[in-house]
């Protein structure tokens, strides 16, 4: 049954390039928009970071404000290069290496009301 679903979802040879482009662009928009939020909502995100139980660990790595700007820059630049299809593996690696620590530091917390 699953293999039948896979066959149905398999794009035709003519549409594979369009599907790939559409997938890359829509996925990258998540990071571009989110990264822009690191600049537009900078203070709100810093205030949220102040409430994180991992704040002390984050400050060991660096100044939270600078880390927030760097992560926003990484999301925007890697998101754009991913959308353009240029250095997609490197772009995905940058997004992964930026997203995992942010997820742990900000979203994985003992206090469920913080999430």
């Amino acid at each position: 049954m699953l293999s039948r679903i896979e066959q149905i979802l398999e794009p035709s040879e003519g549409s594979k390039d369009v599907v790939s482009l559409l997938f890359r662009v829509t996925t990258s928009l998540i990071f571009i928009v989110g990264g822009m939020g690191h600049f537009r909502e900078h203070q709100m995100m810093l205030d949220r970071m102040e409430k994180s139980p991992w704040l002390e660990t984050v400050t060991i790595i660096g100044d939270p404000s600078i880390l927030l700007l760097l992560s926003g820059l990484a999301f925007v630049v890697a998101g754009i290069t991913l959308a353009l299809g240029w250095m997609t593996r490197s772009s995905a690696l940058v997004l992964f290496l930026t997203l995992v620590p942010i997820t742990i530091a900000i979203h994985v917390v003992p206090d469920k009301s913080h999430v």
Side-chain angles (χ1 to χ4, degrees), residues 50-76:
E50 288 289 327
K51 297 175 185 173
S52 172
W54 306 111
L55 179 62
E56 190 174 312
T57 305
V58 171
T59 56
I60 290 170
I61 298 168
D63 180 306
S65 181
I66 293 172
L67 292 173
L68 185 59
L69 293 173
L70 289 174
S71 64
L73 182 65
F75 284 158
V76 171

Side-chain angles (χ1 to χ4, degrees), residues 27-89:
T27 301
S28 66
L29 282 174
I30 295 167
F31 295 103
I32 295 168
V33 171
M36 294 302 293
H38 287 212
F39 301 106
R40 285 192 314 268
E41 302 293 334
H42 190 78
Q43 190 57 52
M44 183 272 300
M45 290 186 170
L46 282 176
D47 293 344
R48 188 169 180 206
M49 198 180 300
E50 288 289 327
K51 297 175 185 173
S52 172
W54 306 111
L55 179 62
E56 190 174 312
T57 305
V58 171
T59 56
I60 290 170
I61 298 168
D63 180 306
S65 181
I66 293 172
L67 292 173
L68 185 59
L69 293 173
L70 289 174
S71 64
L73 182 65
F75 284 158
V76 171
V77 171
I80 290 170
T81 57
L82 182 66
L84 295 174
W86 185 66
M87 297 182 64
T88 56
R89 287 181 180 94

